[in-house]
Amino acid sequence: MTAQQTWTGRWVADRAGIALTGSDRLPELVGLALRAQNPKRAHLLVSTVLGKHVPQRPAVVHGVGLELGRQVRELLGGEAAGRAVVLGYAETATGLGHSVADGLDAPYLHSTRRPVAGVPPLGGFEEEHSHATSHLLLPADPELLTGSGPLVLVDDEFSTGRTVLNTIRELHARHPRDHYVVVALVDLRSAADRRRLADTAAELGVRLDLVATASGAVQLPADVQDRAERLIAEAAPAPAAPPGTPAPLARVDLDWPAGLPDGGRHGFTARDRARLDAALPRLAGQLADALPATARRVLVLGFEELMYAPLRLAGALADRLGGDRVRYSTTTRSPVLAVDDPGYAIRTRLAFPAHDDPQDDASRERYAYNVAPGSDPARRFDAVVLVVDDVADTPALREGERALLGQLRQVTDQVVLAVLPSHRPSPRPSGLPSQPPSHVPPRLPSGLPSRLPSPLYGPAFSSYRPDEVAWLLKDLSGVPLEAPTEEREEAVQNGGAHYAESLPVEYQPSPEYQELFHQALRASARRIALAAGTVAETLLRERGPGLVLASLARAGTPVGILIRRWLAHVHGLDTPHYAVSIVRGRGIDPVALRYLAAHHRAGDVVFVDGWTGKGAITRELAEALAGTGFDPDLAVLADPGRCARTYGTRDDFLIPSACLNSTVSGLVSRTVLRPGLIGPDDFHGAKHYAELAGADVSAAFLDTVADHFDAVRPEAVAAADRLSTAPDRTPDWAGWAAVERISTEYGIDSVNLVKPGVGETTRVLLRRVPWRVLARRGAGADLDHVRLLAAQRGVEVEEVDGLPYSCVGLIHPRYSRGATGASGRTVVVKES
């Protein structure tokens, strides 16, 4: 402390005889106060850098945790640090533990005192000296605490070590490991406490290290409890300020990334950390816009265990407004005596009813310390930003004389309420990655169907990153479903089976054909980027930032990922993206629709595909969604069939993802719907061809296109503006009419044997029994791959004039194996 500063423990030290000894840094890190209602411990160490009871600059609060995390990394070494998991203690150390995890770059979980319906505790332990003792562990992924790497336990102070010992014994009995690290801001253990910790480590046969910012001891007189009770009884309550005109209250609906955990209650991964870092500037901008320009001193006030998200928001707001203008602290459960004296750590106190669970906890008080200015007007905040989660956004927060919002409006000039979605994890089925992606949607609300399967994610299913798509599919990878094309379709013809009950053998392209794919990708990547950007910008204008993408598996999946990447890259949005199955003649997967309806507002869901041909899937989708509340309008990159309202272009050009099968679609097969494999509560099925990883170009396709996003952004914005303001975008179904003309001209009984457009023609040559290809005269290099495939299959390519598509593929009308009609079954064709 400098000569001009007063230690905020002086008042207690002088009157109660409590003293701190040890590191010279201790007075900088902690002050002293008296607990108001705790017979187990009279005093409270009040941290000046934790951001709980004392408002502090967010850079200081986050920085002290980052530095501790770096010290742990240095202690462990790179290999062990890469396997470490951090566990923080509720409620006081949830933000500190999270910051340590940031510095260590490790997954994070904190204990909680809030039970969460549907999430069974993995364990629990007691904090013996606390006023609220029970801690629960509620990881969404139990494997977070079952690994063999070091476990790093973080608390604000290490006074007796009993809480840590309770935790280690509980977890070690379930999942033993050989190394534990305890981290604290201050280590104030007695010699007996140190021996107890060492004895426990020896008993369990583990290594136990300690990392702390400062160490020392607390010296207590024998009659400390009596002295404290006497001081509390004698302390005059601070005079209440007469009520004035309440300050304005503004609510900000933060554009919080969908599915991003609001903290570590159920786990927080490196992927979550990256998503939050990317979103913070945008979120801080929303808060800044809600604050008055005259606000020179702003407090961001978190809520009990919700410490980390408000801390990071405060830091981003400080970066925007200026570091010295923003302070951060949180509300707490701890009852502490307030004394308006510079030598006491808790100058002012706001007491208010609990608002996170008013039915069960309305009688319990909560507290916000050092928020009111007290006798020092220099400590007044011009604005307070209160950050809570949706569980705590209840009438008890705002109604009644003692409600927190009402009291805050009496002690500042502007109150801003920001509400975050409390993360509700979905159960993780076996066989999925141990770390589920951050955009996993919340658990089903009550009253909705409970028997729903969980999505699949890469890399266990597909080669796509788990944050890029959630597959609403059943994994059939171990089921033999493939047969040679003619053999398979002979069975379809003879048995009247549905085409979706089996799979063709995956076509493996020749080196010559693979080179054509890469040439086509280089030539069309910019055009695809422009189309994807146009669709993304159009959807954003018409659906808003809360949209949810549902790609039609599998051709729509890479398109949905491109749209999602655009929204993230250009607008900082973290858009949920699913892949769902639709089968001609059977409609869209009803279980997938139930899942989407349970986790999202139906009006926010946009169905996405790669391109339109004649519009059969467009019609199928509209029929399947009738009366469901979902919007049947399909968004596509290319709409040569003129049957979609939202499109990137209506030109029929080559989208290289049509050139290949699973190796450009995340190594996932076409979807399967087969009795005996797919039950009434199952998603439609598909296979993951992990064995084809050596030929996989899925990521290369996406990355090559995404590299053009910045270059085409102005054009995409302009195109979306034109599309959004177009007086009439009603589809005219010109493609369907053209197909009917071709069907008549070539003597084909069913339009389902006519596959218009370069994408559909490619599919005919890869997966069907082709008859011939019609190519628009002068179509050029866009059809190089079609000509090569046709030559390999011995199929005639006929150049024609006046074709509205680049090309049209015709399935053999006489050899009808592979020709499936609107029902999805074999088309019966008369011999001529």
Side-chain angles (χ1 to χ4, degrees), residues 18 127 281 574 623 635 763 810:
I18 299 173
E127 185 176 4
D574 187 15
E623 292 174 6
R763 287 179 167 186
L810 305 182

Side-chain angles (χ1 to χ4, degrees), residues 273-508:
R273 188 175 297 121
R275 295 176 64 220
L276 178 59
D277 288 344
L280 281 172
R282 181 182 75 256
L283 298 172
Q286 292 180 269
L287 292 179
D289 290 343
L291 292 169
T294 55
R296 308 304 302 171
R297 198 163 184 266
V298 178
L299 174 68
V300 176
L301 183 63
F303 157 66
E304 296 187 32
E305 294 175 10
L306 184 66
M307 294 187 70
Y308 181 73
L311 169 62
R312 300 300 308 281
L313 287 169
L317 185 63
D319 291 341
R320 189 179 184 95
L321 300 181
D324 202 47
R325 293 175 59 183
V326 179
R327 295 294 186 271
Y328 158 80
S329 65
T330 73
T331 65
T332 177
R333 295 175 177 231
S334 301
V336 185
L337 175 69
V339 177
D340 195 2
D341 186 286
Y344 190 82
I346 303 296
R347 301 282 298 274
T348 65
R349 178 174 96 160
L350 300 179
F352 53 92
H355 55 90
D356 53 338
D357 191 4
Q359 290 184 338
D360 298 334
D361 210 8
S363 63
R364 293 290 300 275
E365 279 192 329
R366 302 291 189 259
Y367 308 94
Y369 295 115
N370 294 318
V371 174
S375 61
D376 184 359
R379 299 171 61 245
R380 179 181 175 85
F381 292 105
D382 302 319
V384 175
V385 178
L386 175 62
V387 182
V388 301
D389 61 13
D390 53 17
V391 174
D393 183 24
T394 64
L397 180 63
R398 57 181 64 81
E399 297 176 2
E401 293 181 0
R402 297 178 61 242
L404 175 58
L405 280 177
Q407 294 196 61
L408 291 177
R409 295 176 69 185
Q410 293 292 334
V411 299
T412 189
D413 300 325
Q414 171 81 43
V415 176
V416 175
L417 174 64
V419 181
L420 306 181
S422 181
H423 185 54
R424 297 165 176 85
S426 292
R428 183 181 64 87
S430 60
L432 291 190
S434 60
Q435 302 297 338
S438 48
H439 76 265
V440 171
R443 184 174 295 275
L444 293 179
S446 59
L448 290 170
S450 59
R451 203 179 158 188
L452 287 174
S454 295
L456 303 177
Y457 301 94
F461 186 87
S462 92
S463 62
Y464 290 131
R465 296 198 317 259
D467 61 312
E468 301 223 273
V469 60
W471 300 87
L472 301 187
L473 296 174
K474 180 179 181 179
D475 189 356
L476 301 179
S477 299
V479 181
L481 293 168
E482 297 85 359
T485 301
E486 295 186 4
E487 176 184 327
R488 168 181 173 268
E489 305 210 12
E490 183 77 49
V492 171
Q493 182 186 31
N494 291 339
H498 195 280
Y499 80 93
E501 294 177 7
S502 59
L503 291 173
V505 176
E506 279 284 308
Y507 170 79
Q508 290 306 295

Side-chain angles (χ1 to χ4, degrees), residues 588-787:
I588 199 164
D589 184 345
V591 181
L593 285 187
R594 281 174 49 202
Y595 186 96
L596 291 172
H599 294 84
H600 302 283
R601 196 174 68 87
D604 291 335
V605 177
V606 179
F607 292 91
V608 175
D609 208 356
W611 57 86
T612 65
K614 55 185 173 289
I617 290 297
T618 309
R619 291 176 186 242
E620 186 86 38
L621 182 67
E623 292 174 6
L625 296 180
T628 65
F630 289 96
D631 190 334
D633 285 340
L634 187 64
V636 294
L637 287 191
D639 180 36
R642 302 182 68 85
C643 51
R645 290 188 70 256
T646 304
Y647 50 85
T649 179
R650 278 184 163 156
D651 294 338
D652 182 22
F653 76 100
L654 173 62
I655 299 174
S657 58
C659 295
L660 300 171
N661 286 325
S662 68
T663 52
V664 78
S665 302
L667 299 181
V668 173
S669 75
R670 201 206 60 220
T671 59
V672 174
L673 179 57
R674 178 167 157 180
L677 293 177
I678 307 301
D681 294 309
D682 291 332
F683 295 135
H684 290 183
K687 299 186 74 167
H688 173 209
Y689 295 114
E691 66 274 15
L692 301 180
D696 189 22
V697 293
S698 304
F701 170 74
L702 297 172
D703 293 343
T704 302
V705 174
D707 284 344
H708 293 270
F709 281 173
D710 288 332
V712 303
R713 181 178 178 181
E715 296 175 66
V717 170
D721 287 341
R722 291 192 299 271
L723 196 63
S724 298
T725 57
D728 186 10
R729 286 157 49 196
T730 305
D732 61 18
W733 298 89
W736 190 276
V739 166
E740 289 181 326
R741 289 196 304 271
I742 293 170
S743 178
T744 300
E745 181 179 347
Y746 284 85
I748 300 174
D749 287 355
S750 173
V751 292
N752 289 290
L753 305 183
V754 180
K755 302 295 183 181
V758 64
E760 293 301 309
T761 300
T762 302
R763 287 179 167 186
V764 169
L765 291 167
L766 289 176
R767 300 210 303 255
R768 301 298 181 88
V769 180
W771 180 34
R772 68 178 67 182
V773 172
L774 310 181
R776 186 172 61 206
R777 198 178 306 279
D782 268 357
L783 299 188
D784 284 350
H785 79 291
V786 170
R787 296 186 180 94

